[in-house]
Amino acid sequence: FNARRDFIWNDISMVVPFLDPKSEEVRRFVQDNIEEEWKLGNWKLLINFVNSGSHPRIIFQPNITPHVNGLGGDSIYMNSTQPLTEYDANWTIRHEFGHVLAFPDCYVEFYVEERQSIMNYQLDVDNIMCSRKGHMKDINYTELMKAYKKN
């Protein structure tokens, strides 16, 4: 697990600096979705918008497949042609932020030529990193605590 050094853990929260997108709509989209998903019991993740530094950021480009520049990366690429109000956009930013936290995907996708379609196998349909129906689970919290809590 490749923990980022700019995230601050304590027993009730983890504070994450995030480059200010300079748009109230995008700020709300980022903060509302990430903070809503990445919480468990009394513990929560808090976004702190900052103006500079090598911190997570959101980048919009037209007609791309959303992704992050690697596990523990700092650039979340989103499709600029997709409305921020759509369920897929909301789920995507929640999931892609998991990669910023250094979680890998736990699903497998591949193209089946005979069917001319993409097949998707989800290893845990309740986990945000595996499924569009998933959410943060105890296992995600445990991994975050092991990676970010300083003894």
Side-chain angles (χ1 to χ4, degrees), residues 2 5 8 30 47 49 53 61 76 79-80 84 90 99-100:
N2 190 16
R5 296 184 187 274
I8 301 168
V30 168
I47 297 292
F49 290 109
Q61 294 179 342
I76 302 170
N79 183 354
S80 63
L84 298 181
N90 288 272
H99 296 310
V100 171

Side-chain angles (χ1 to χ4, degrees), residues 3 8-9 12 17 50 57 97-99 111 114 124 128 130 132:
I8 301 168
W9 177 279
I12 59 168
V50 296
R57 67 188 48 84
F97 189 77
H99 296 310
Y111 184 75
E114 302 85 48
D124 179 350
I128 184 65
C130 304
R132 292 185 185 278

